[in-house]
Amino acid sequence: MDMGGEERIAAPREVVWEALNDPDILRQCIPGCQSLEQKSPTELAATVKLKVGPVSATFSGEVTLSDINPPESYMISGEGKGGIAGFAKGSATVTLLEDGADTLLRYATKAQVGGKIAQLGSRLIDSTSQKLAAQFFADFNKAVVARVSRA
């Protein structure tokens, strides 16, 4: 499953970059995130509770940042296991472009699911993934704009 999109954020690129690398902001914005712990500058451990159709599961996994080019882009990849519900793994390339005083955040993702969740069908999985991505980026946008307002 591949997906992509763009979000305009009313903040300078450096501020958006800092937020993308701030575990506290990410924890607030990731739908269903129960914990997010930074293990190193490029590694995070996460626990996320998600519901896809009739299947609800808690996924535990690792997230790694690579191809880091501050404050312009990076790749984030990870894998989570949800017990009998199955697994999810994927990656996203995130690019930040200056657009006047705003920043355009562009993302392109690739994901794969297996186990019970995969049996739900690609249409349900795709629509849930798009909804979760839209929720994350809307919440992330609000968090960054709030950070700029406080500064």
Side-chain angles (χ1 to χ4, degrees), residues 119-136:
Q119 296 170 2
L120 295 174
S122 62
R123 212 173 344 184
L124 178 59
I125 293 167
D126 287 352
S127 68
T128 301
S129 298
Q130 289 172 355
K131 180 180 156 198
L132 292 171
Q135 183 180 343
F136 169 80

Side-chain angles (χ1 to χ4, degrees), residues 5 10-11 23 31 34 45 52 65 74 76 80 82 124 130-131 139 142 146:
Q34 296 180 326
V52 181
L65 304 178
Y74 68 34
I76 184 168
L124 178 59
Q130 289 172 355
K131 180 180 156 198
D139 291 347
K142 286 179 197 164

Side-chain angles (χ1 to χ4, degrees), residues 4-11 13 15-17 19-20 26 71-74 92-99 102-109 133 136-138 140-141 144:
E6 182 176 279
E7 184 82 16
R8 175 178 294 280
I9 301 173
R13 182 166 72 166
V15 172
V16 177
W17 178 259
L20 275 176
L26 295 175
E72 195 172 301
S73 63
Y74 68 34
T93 301
V94 179
T95 306
L96 302 178
L97 304 166
E98 291 178 323
D99 189 20
D102 294 350
T103 301
L104 288 179
L105 183 155
R106 290 193 177 135
Y107 62 95
T109 65
F136 169 80
F137 286 110
F140 180 78
N141 196 333
V144 172

Side-chain angles (χ1 to χ4, degrees), residues 20-24 26-27 35-46 62-63 65:
L20 275 176
N21 290 280
D22 183 334
D24 291 331
L26 295 175
R27 188 180 308 111
S35 69
L36 185 67
E37 176 189 341
Q38 189 162 19
K39 298 171 85 176
S40 79
T42 59
E43 297 175 313
L44 302 156
E62 306 289 321
V63 176
L65 304 178

